[in-house]
Amino acid sequence: MNTNIPKHKRLFFIFFWSILTLSVWPYINLDRNPLYWFLHVVCVMSCFIVIAHYLSDIALPKALKEGRMKHFLFLFFIGVIILDALVALCFTLFPYLINNTQALTSANVVSWKELYFTKVFSALPSAIAIVTTTCGIRFYEEHNKIEQVNAKLKQEHLEAQIKLLQDQINPHLMFNILNHIHILMQTNVELASTVLLNFSDILRYQLYECNQKEVFLYQEIQYLQRLVAIEQIRWQDELEVQCLWETENKQLQIAPLLLVPLIENAFKHVSRLPHNKGYVIIKCVEKQNILNLYLENSYSDKYPKTNKQGGIGILNVVERLKIQYPDTHRFQIEQTEEKFTVSLQITLN
């Protein structure tokens, strides 16, 4: 058992039991044989301290840890009864040893046995109050410890969940880019080289920056711009891309890779009609610490994609927003016969 008691707790114990001792002292007559009355106080306080310590510092923490509160309530009841009996015995035995008949007179009894039972009834409220107070204080301390542990476990669980969601993005994105490079190597080596350079910057960002809980918003936007540049090289004249990137505060931070699935889905699910270009519109604007992302891509019911709009990528973003920005975001998806739009607003720190 750990016997190291914090300093503030030791001071509290000293203060608490000192006040209790001073409250007991007036009930004991000091006019005759002070040594006996000093021993009387010591015995009474010893009974209080030992039983209260056992119930509050040993039985209660064990019961909370093992989930056996009914067992503790039984021990609490037994402890109060024993404490009451011992205190009543002290208030009867010491007057009896020095033949202090004044104790009988003041209690309006004629025998020491009657005095004992009188003291049993009179000491019961004090026994209940003291044990309840000490156990109540200890329960508050243990409850706080349990809350702190639960909060820590919840935080660790959320961080693990975020990491899992984030890890779902990286391999999928990397394979897509590598596939683009592979195709370009067979048709246009120069473009493949350009994509490879962008890919190295993307990979460097994901390896060295995205291990943190948050990254600077301007870094995340630079990362997204490289992704869009790769997509523009891939689609070339088959797709029209319009982009707007604006940020005011360079110190704002955002969860890494949060916006990637939205950008990727816009290009992945864009529809192109015969003799008509498809299009993707990206507006990423931050003003007064509020980030607004608007995405729009062409869509047609006549030429649906084999993969449904907003698959695992959208679900990934939704889950991360619930965890990382639970009360500071608005997310909306709209689909018509001609276009698919995504609107996201996040209040950043």
Side-chain angles (χ1 to χ4, degrees):
M1 181 183 298
N2 185 10
T3 58
N4 294 326
I5 302 176
K7 183 178 180 180
H8 70 277
K9 193 171 183 179
R10 289 199 302 267
L11 293 175
F12 173 78
F13 284 159
I14 293 172
F15 176 78
F16 178 80
W17 292 115
S18 297
I19 294 296
L20 187 59
T21 301
L22 293 175
S23 66
V24 170
W25 195 277
Y27 290 97
I28 301 174
N29 187 357
L30 300 177
D31 294 337
R32 299 174 59 185
N33 205 328
L35 177 61
Y36 271 92
W37 295 117
F38 175 76
L39 293 175
H40 187 179
V41 174
V42 171
C43 289
V44 170
M45 295 308 303
S46 297
C47 294
F48 280 132
I49 292 173
V50 170
I51 293 179
H53 169 72
Y54 171 76
L55 290 174
S56 64
D57 295 341
I58 299 176
L60 180 57
K62 184 178 180 181
L64 288 172
K65 184 178 181 180
E66 298 177 355
R68 301 177 61 189
M69 289 304 297
K70 290 183 178 179
H71 179 70
F72 169 75
L73 291 176
F74 173 76
L75 292 178
F76 179 89
F77 175 77
I78 297 299
V80 169
I81 297 300
I82 294 175
L83 178 58
D84 181 37
L86 291 176
V87 171
L89 181 63
C90 290
F91 275 93
T92 304
L93 181 61
F94 280 91
Y96 171 78
L97 291 176
I98 62 174
N99 196 26
N100 182 14
T101 56
Q102 185 182 352
L104 297 176
T105 304
S106 61
N108 197 23
V109 295
V110 295
S111 67
W112 297 106
K113 183 176 181 181
E114 288 183 83
L115 178 63
Y116 174 74
F117 285 107
T118 300
K119 294 298 182 182
V120 166
F121 287 106
S122 63
L124 182 60
S126 298
I128 295 175
I130 291 171
V131 174
T132 301
T133 300
T134 54
C135 289
I137 294 172
R138 185 57 186 236
F139 179 82
Y140 176 77
E141 292 178 349
E142 293 296 320
H143 182 266
N144 279 347
K145 290 180 182 179
I146 292 173
E147 287 296 319
Q148 290 174 3
V149 171
N150 288 340
K152 184 178 179 181
L153 291 175
K154 183 179 180 180
Q155 181 64 26
E156 290 176 351
H157 172 73
L158 290 178
E159 290 178 358
Q161 190 174 356
I162 292 170
K163 187 66 169 60
L164 178 62
L165 291 171
Q166 185 172 312
D167 288 345
Q168 290 177 355
I169 300 171
N170 295 350
H172 182 257
L173 183 63
M174 293 301 100
F175 283 128
N176 277 348
I177 296 177
L178 287 173
N179 186 52
H180 297 344
I181 295 174
H182 173 71
I183 295 173
L184 287 173
M185 287 292 291
Q186 301 177 35
T187 57
N188 192 324
V189 177
E190 185 176 351
L191 278 179
S193 178
T194 302
V195 174
L196 189 58
L197 289 174
N198 282 331
F199 176 70
S200 65
D201 291 334
I202 288 172
L203 190 60
R204 187 180 301 109
Y205 176 78
Q206 292 191 178
L207 289 176
Y208 299 108
E209 303 295 337
C210 294
N211 292 325
Q212 306 175 45
K213 292 182 180 180
E214 290 187 329
V215 296
F216 286 111
L217 176 62
Y218 77 89
Q219 292 179 313
E220 185 76 3
I221 289 179
Q222 288 175 353
Y223 171 79
L224 296 176
Q225 289 173 330
R226 294 189 182 100
L227 290 180
V228 173
I230 291 176
E231 291 292 347
Q232 286 179 298
I233 293 173
R234 174 194 175 193
W235 292 97
Q236 297 185 19
D237 295 333
E238 298 180 23
L239 192 64
E240 183 179 348
V241 180
Q242 299 178 19
C243 297
L244 175 63
W245 312 92
E246 291 183 0
T247 56
E248 288 183 345
N249 190 345
K250 296 294 183 180
Q251 300 302 315
L252 286 182
Q253 295 186 322
I254 189 172
L257 307 179
L258 177 64
L259 309 178
V260 173
L262 302 179
I263 301 288
E264 190 179 17
N265 273 356
F267 286 97
K268 181 179 179 181
H269 300 292
V270 62
S271 293
R272 294 169 300 151
L273 296 175
H275 311 297
N276 287 307
K277 285 186 177 181
Y279 71 89
V280 172
I281 298 175
I282 302 172
K283 295 180 181 180
C284 186
V285 179
E286 176 272 314
K287 289 185 178 180
Q288 298 181 351
N289 297 357
I290 297 177
L291 175 66
N292 286 282
L293 177 67
Y294 174 81
L295 298 172
E296 180 181 326
N297 62 270
S298 54
Y299 176 79
S300 175
D301 291 331
K302 297 179 180 179
Y303 297 89
K305 292 287 184 179
T306 54
N307 295 323
K308 292 183 178 180
Q309 287 273 11
I312 189 172
I314 297 294
L315 295 177
N316 186 298
V317 173
V318 170
E319 289 300 317
R320 290 187 66 186
L321 287 171
K322 288 180 181 179
I323 296 172
Q324 295 174 292
Y325 301 96
D327 302 315
T328 58
H329 81 274
R330 287 189 300 173
F331 186 62
Q332 187 176 4
I333 298 176
E334 294 183 1
Q335 178 178 320
T336 67
E337 295 181 355
E338 297 180 349
K339 64 181 181 180
F340 188 86
T341 61
V342 174
S343 299
L344 174 62
Q345 183 181 90
I346 308 176
T347 301
L348 301 174
N349 297 319

